[in-house]
Amino acid sequence: MSRVKRGVTAHAKHKKVYKAAKGFYGRRKNTIRAAKPAVEKAGQYAFRDRKRKKRTMRALWIQRLNAAVRPFGLTYSRFIDGLSKSGITVDRKVLSDLAIREPVAFQAIAEKAKAALAA
């Protein structure tokens, strides 16, 4: 049986890790023993934070909405309650965007929510 030299395969595998470790600091970018676990850990962080990003953005939209409805004499929770009672189904992302870019339209929505709470 012929002898197989594995240099090409190993080099290709290492190259893939080094490419993923580009921009890392110190030995983590150019030593396979340090780069491999660093790249694995980076992948774990990336996976976790893709989920976390969604939570963070929702929290930001809620904070923006809370700040936007305060001038109308509402709190965030009362505003959302008013929206559900008035039958308006717009998600928090769109409401937050409206509050920033279209204040007149947002004011109309806030007034409807306030009227639904009073009724």
Side-chain angles (χ1 to χ4, degrees), residues 6-56:
R6 297 175 59 236
V8 176
T9 314
H11 184 69
K13 280 184 175 183
H14 290 186
K15 219 167 113 176
K16 195 162 64 172
V17 172
Y18 291 140
K19 187 178 180 198
K22 193 170 186 164
F24 287 13
Y25 190 81
R27 281 181 46 209
R28 307 172 86 211
K29 71 175 173 284
N30 56 15
T31 307
I32 196 65
R33 278 185 155 185
K36 210 169 181 179
V39 166
E40 281 177 22
K41 193 67 176 176
Q44 290 170 356
Y45 285 138
F47 180 83
R48 179 197 69 192
D49 291 338
R50 278 196 298 274
K51 313 289 176 225
R52 192 173 279 183
K53 184 179 178 185
K54 293 161 183 63
R55 279 177 271 177
T56 308

Side-chain angles (χ1 to χ4, degrees), residues 73-87:
L74 291 168
T75 61
Y76 166 77
S77 62
R78 300 285 294 147
F79 174 65
I80 294 296
D81 187 33
L83 285 179
S84 64
K85 284 179 179 170
S86 64

Side-chain angles (χ1 to χ4, degrees), residues 44-115:
Q44 290 170 356
Y45 285 138
F47 180 83
R48 179 197 69 192
D49 291 338
R50 278 196 298 274
K51 313 289 176 225
R52 192 173 279 183
K53 184 179 178 185
K54 293 161 183 63
R55 279 177 271 177
T56 308
M57 290 309 295
R58 185 181 166 96
L60 176 66
W61 300 328
I62 289 170
Q63 288 169 354
R64 284 179 178 169
L65 285 175
N66 196 16
V69 296
R70 291 294 171 134
F72 306 115
L74 291 168
T75 61
Y76 166 77
S77 62
R78 300 285 294 147
F79 174 65
I80 294 296
D81 187 33
L83 285 179
S84 64
K85 284 179 179 170
S86 64
I88 298 172
T89 54
V90 182
D91 66 357
R92 286 151 184 82
K93 179 181 178 180
V94 174
L95 283 169
S96 172
D97 197 48
L98 276 176
I100 295 166
R101 291 193 169 85
E102 303 286 337
V104 178
F106 184 76
Q107 184 177 356
I109 292 172
E111 296 302 333
K112 281 190 176 183
K114 198 170 183 178

